[in-house]
Amino acid sequence: MAEEIRLPHEKGLDHTMDLLREGYLFLSNRRESLHSQYFTVRLMGKKMICLNGKEAAALFYREDYFKRQGVAPMRVQKTLFGKSAIQGLDGEEHKRRKELFMTLLTGEYEDRLLAIIATKLENALTGFEKRETINLFRESRSILLQSVCEWAGIPLKEKEKNQLIRDFTLMIYSFGRVGKVYREGKKARKRVEAWVQNVVEAVRLGHYKADKESPLVFVCSYQDSNGNLLDANMAAIELINLLRPIFAIATYVVFTALALKEHPECKEALEGSDPVSLHYFCQEVRRYYPFSPFIGAKVKKNFIWKGIRFPKGTIVLLDLYGTDHDPAIWGNPFEFWPSRFDKREGGLYDFIPQGGGNIRKGHRCAGDMITVKIMELFLNALANKITYTIPDQDLSYSLSQIPTLPSSGFIMENVKRK
């Protein structure tokens, strides 16, 4: 029997405030100071085991060892995910709910969403020529919200659009904050849930005739493992979990534009809309720039791995950002280098910007694949369909802020169609 290892532990009674101060680098900083890939910290009063790397990621996604129920902090549920949503399910109910999302984010549904986004993006590019300045973060959020609502079959009135853009933004950007911003995020979540729930109830009462093949009707008629419809609020929450991740891709759109600016040497490879070059560039944006910091799970049963004891009920954190910048996996991880994906022989657990594992069987983000395709649409537009100038602005972003974004939102001027 292998000898048990006592994991190094960060000194102090609780490290939650350190996490809020250090953000994406919190776990990396502890690995460096404790000289260990694996260690423990105490967050929100609970002792947690922290893991990093592809071997740890492969372990983390073993459903016989870990579960998700009861892991997501309530502050995250009240802003980002919604209470009792798919992210906190396990077992058969998770598999059923995950299949719903996979159906709606692949195949014909995926093609239709991409076509809608492509059309709205083309129209927006033409409109950009008539304006002095363009804030890419603001414009991409508008394009994505309008597109995903049209795709889902959810009516979006013009007078509602700006408030919903603000509310979706608050839902995404408030969960890692404290004070007023976090309180505003909770209010935004309640407003969006009420808006979508009204649509769900209108569909079920026959007051709104949506396309029978739309995601809206699909979710409204979805039945759980007991044959029951989701209640109206839960149906709204899961519909938001279709809308919100697409809306959040605006963050990646801005980082894509920033990468183009910071790495002009990559532009030649992108000319002519080469699909392989576009794909590699977007994948490197997802690897290099910060998006999801880490994810958590709870130990289902006592076990030992690499001499480390995992007691039942312990929360385990997998460092996504750290794994995607692990020098043992990625040569020169803090160098932006899209061609690293050219002959990459990676598996399911070394490149995990939105989680790892089998996209159908594990807890990996169901929108992982479509995220890249949407990014490619925007990258192709920026690299091959328009010219623009970039005025002086604050394009810095803070790794201590979760989630983060270039401060200015990326301002463009003198936009012209090629």
Side-chain angles (χ1 to χ4, degrees):
M1 184 175 179
E3 182 180 352
E4 286 189 30
I5 298 172
R6 183 171 182 175
L7 287 177
H9 179 73
E10 173 80 344
K11 293 181 180 179
L13 295 176
D14 192 271
H15 314 109
T16 305
M17 293 308 297
D18 295 322
L19 170 60
L20 293 174
R21 281 192 296 267
E22 299 173 38
Y24 289 90
L25 297 178
F26 171 76
L27 296 178
S28 297
N29 289 342
R30 272 64 220 150
R31 276 197 303 278
E32 183 175 338
S33 64
L34 297 171
H35 307 289
S36 177
Q37 285 283 89
Y38 318 123
F39 53 89
T40 63
V41 297
R42 188 171 291 276
L43 297 173
M44 295 173 287
K46 297 180 180 179
K47 185 178 179 180
M48 302 185 185
I49 299 174
C50 304
L51 305 176
N52 179 75
K54 61 183 179 181
E55 287 185 291
L59 171 73
F60 184 87
Y61 282 96
R62 287 192 55 171
E63 295 185 355
D64 54 335
Y65 284 160
F66 297 98
K67 63 179 181 178
R68 298 301 178 91
Q69 193 170 18
V71 175
M74 190 55 65
R75 65 178 292 109
V76 178
Q77 294 185 51
K78 288 180 177 180
T79 51
L80 190 64
F81 294 151
K83 295 180 182 180
S84 305
I86 184 174
Q87 292 87 354
L89 295 178
D90 287 295
E92 185 60 32
E93 195 55 54
H94 174 265
K95 291 177 183 177
R96 285 178 60 86
R97 198 82 61 90
K98 179 70 172 289
E99 189 57 37
L100 168 69
F101 280 78
M102 289 303 303
T103 297
L104 295 175
L105 292 172
T106 57
E108 293 181 4
Y109 282 99
E110 176 188 74
D111 293 342
R112 182 168 178 267
L113 176 56
L114 291 171
I116 293 171
I117 293 173
T119 298
K120 292 191 183 300
L121 177 56
E122 284 291 330
N123 293 338
L125 295 180
T126 299
F128 290 173
E129 292 186 291
K130 303 173 184 178
R131 295 159 57 183
E132 291 185 7
T133 62
I134 299 297
N135 182 305
L136 185 60
F137 185 50
R138 182 180 303 134
E139 298 301 328
S140 57
R141 284 180 297 165
S142 179
I143 291 167
L144 291 171
L145 180 64
Q146 292 180 79
S147 297
V148 76
C149 285
E150 179 180 329
W151 166 79
I154 296 176
L156 176 62
K157 299 175 183 177
E158 184 62 30
K159 65 181 181 180
E160 299 173 323
K161 186 179 70 173
N162 289 338
Q163 182 62 54
L164 285 166
I165 288 173
R166 287 192 292 271
D167 284 344
F168 271 90
T169 304
L170 278 167
M171 283 163 49
I172 294 166
Y173 278 86
S174 66
F175 77 91
R177 314 292 173 83
V178 294
K180 182 179 179 180
V181 175
Y182 177 68
R183 292 194 297 272
E184 289 299 317
K186 290 197 297 182
K187 293 177 183 177
R189 158 62 66 173
K190 290 180 180 179
R191 285 192 295 267
V192 174
E193 284 188 14
W195 172 66
V196 179
Q197 185 171 331
N198 284 337
V199 177
V200 169
E201 291 170 344
V203 169
R204 289 179 171 176
L205 292 171
H207 297 160
Y208 174 63
K209 300 295 183 182
D211 186 332
K212 292 182 180 179
E213 298 300 318
S214 67
L216 170 60
V217 172
F218 220 94
V219 175
C220 285
S221 58
Y222 169 83
Q223 295 180 347
D224 64 20
S225 56
N226 295 317
N228 299 319
L229 293 175
L230 299 176
D231 66 51
N233 180 250
M234 182 52 64
I237 288 171
E238 297 298 36
L239 277 164
I240 293 168
N241 279 328
L242 282 171
L243 307 181
R244 174 185 47 77
I246 302 302
F247 181 87
I249 296 171
T251 300
Y252 271 143
V253 170
V254 175
F255 277 124
T256 298
L258 180 61
L260 275 176
K261 177 185 183 299
E262 293 184 334
H263 305 281
E265 72 278 4
C266 296
K267 290 183 179 179
E268 184 177 347
L270 299 171
E271 291 179 358
S273 305
D274 174 52
V276 174
S277 296
L278 292 170
H279 183 72
Y280 289 168
F281 191 93
C282 289
Q283 291 291 61
E284 182 68 345
V285 168
R286 296 173 72 222
R287 186 201 68 81
Y288 181 85
Y289 291 96
F291 193 71
S292 299
F294 52 79
I295 48 176
K298 185 178 288 187
V299 179
K300 292 173 71 172
K301 61 183 180 183
N302 296 328
F303 72 93
I304 295 175
W305 176 77
K306 288 183 175 291
I308 303 167
R309 177 174 291 278
F310 288 78
K312 180 180 178 180
T314 302
I315 292 177
V316 175
L317 301 180
L318 175 65
D319 189 354
L320 303 183
Y321 182 78
T323 298
D324 287 332
H325 293 80
D326 187 345
I329 302 172
W330 308 96
N332 300 315
F334 291 96
E335 176 184 339
F336 187 86
W337 182 35
S339 59
R340 73 171 74 242
F341 284 90
D342 186 14
K343 295 182 180 180
R344 173 177 172 266
E345 296 180 357
L348 298 173
Y349 305 105
D350 54 354
F351 178 49
I352 54 173
Q354 292 172 264
N358 185 295
I359 198 166
R360 286 193 175 273
K361 295 180 181 179
H363 284 264
R364 186 175 179 174
C365 175
D368 193 85
M369 295 183 293
I370 199 170
T371 294
V372 182
K373 294 177 181 179
I374 293 172
M375 289 173 66
E376 290 169 2
L377 289 176
F378 280 89
L379 172 59
N380 189 41
L382 292 167
N384 294 303
K385 295 188 176 184
I386 58 174
T387 61
Y388 53 91
T389 58
I390 304 170
D392 290 339
Q393 58 190 288
D394 184 3
L395 287 169
S396 65
Y397 57 92
S398 172
L399 289 176
S400 66
Q401 186 171 287
I402 299 176
T404 191
L405 187 80
S407 296
S408 66
F410 203 90
I411 306 299
M412 305 186 299
E413 294 180 346
N414 304 311
V415 178
K416 301 294 181 184
R417 297 294 298 254
K418 287 186 177 180

